[in-house]
Amino acid sequence: MPIVSEEYKEKKKRALLQAARRVFIRKGYSLATMQDIIKEAKVSRGALYAYFTSIEHVYVELLRAEDQQDLQFFEQTKTNSSWEQLLQWIDEQRMKLSSREGTLVRANSEFFLAVQDTAGSASSSYILQRYERIIAVLTAFIEAGRSTGEFYPILPTDTIAHSFLSFMDGILLNSSQHGANTIKAQEQVEALIAAMKALLCPVTA
């Protein structure tokens, strides 16, 4: 048999995840099946199961990839201030609210609720680890801004990180369930920005 390189396998896995993403955007998490992904990716059953054991496994791997992109927003840059970076990330979330049909917002809410019903599963453990990792990254980001004199937080940095994530996740979840207009999502985003400005006291030009 020909030897398949790690680079080829990684490329194949990314292609399968992109196909799965399209399926989850269309159908949500609850209604999506492995067969849907097989059809979307135009691969055999064996080709998909060589990388993923279940629809839950697929979603966790997709979530890992999506999360990594989000966390990159909080890496320190030389071109933008810490406050500008934070606003940029919030704007990305705002775009998700305005283009709900092209995002995983609905699927994410379904997945998180489904995982809650299977406490103790590998996915449930990952969700907790994911939350803790995001909080750690946000806390480190705020701490870095404080150390450079860009932020003057009025509460402990980890408390601000927890509050920020809860606020943003709440907007995204309620938007997926009731619609962005119903919950006044854009207005809530503006309220979030005002709250973060009051909590961080950023030094702006």
Side-chain angles (χ1 to χ4, degrees):
M1 292 181 63
I3 298 176
V4 178
S5 70
E6 290 300 318
E7 182 181 357
Y8 172 85
K9 288 191 287 186
E10 186 60 30
K11 183 177 179 180
K12 185 66 175 179
K13 183 179 179 180
R14 286 198 301 267
L16 291 171
L17 286 175
Q18 285 304 307
R21 188 179 193 278
R22 294 191 295 271
V23 170
F24 289 127
I25 286 172
R26 283 200 311 270
K27 304 189 70 171
Y29 174 75
S30 301
L31 297 178
T33 66
M34 293 292 271
Q35 187 57 42
D36 291 328
I37 299 172
I38 289 169
K39 184 176 179 181
E40 180 71 25
K42 297 180 174 61
V43 296
S44 67
R45 179 181 176 85
L48 181 61
Y49 278 89
Y51 293 87
F52 308 105
T53 58
S54 65
I55 198 74
E56 186 175 308
H57 184 199
V58 175
Y59 204 86
V60 167
E61 290 301 311
L62 180 59
L63 200 57
R64 288 183 196 274
E66 295 273 318
D67 289 344
Q68 190 56 41
Q69 292 178 12
D70 272 348
L71 294 179
Q72 286 175 355
F73 269 99
F74 297 101
E75 295 178 357
Q76 295 300 115
T77 69
K78 295 180 180 179
T79 55
N80 294 325
S81 69
S82 294
W83 180 245
E84 287 169 339
Q85 282 182 251
L86 186 62
L87 291 180
Q88 184 181 3
W89 186 84
I90 292 174
D91 278 342
E92 286 287 321
Q93 309 316 303
R94 192 197 300 267
M95 289 175 62
K96 291 180 182 179
L97 292 168
S98 61
S99 59
R100 182 173 142 201
E101 297 304 317
T103 71
L104 290 170
V105 170
R106 170 189 161 204
N108 278 347
S109 64
E110 292 175 358
F111 177 73
F112 295 147
L113 290 173
V115 167
Q116 284 181 356
D117 295 333
T118 56
S121 70
S123 294
S124 180
S125 297
Y126 172 73
I127 293 303
L128 176 58
Q129 293 167 9
R130 173 184 182 266
Y131 179 82
E132 291 173 341
R133 185 174 69 253
I134 294 172
I135 291 296
V137 169
L138 285 171
T139 301
F141 173 78
I142 296 170
E143 278 291 338
R146 183 185 62 78
S147 67
T148 58
E150 296 179 82
F151 293 149
Y152 288 87
I154 64 173
L155 291 176
T157 51
D158 63 330
T159 300
I160 296 174
H162 280 284
S163 299
F164 174 65
L165 187 58
S166 293
F167 202 145
M168 193 69 247
D169 279 353
I171 295 174
L172 291 170
L173 178 60
N174 288 331
S175 176
S176 72
Q177 292 178 332
H178 309 298
N181 290 334
T182 300
I183 70 161
K184 296 186 180 296
Q186 299 302 332
E187 291 88 339
Q188 288 200 59
V189 170
E190 292 301 322
L192 172 59
I193 293 172
M196 291 304 293
K197 191 169 185 178
L199 289 169
L200 294 174
C201 301
V203 175
T204 57

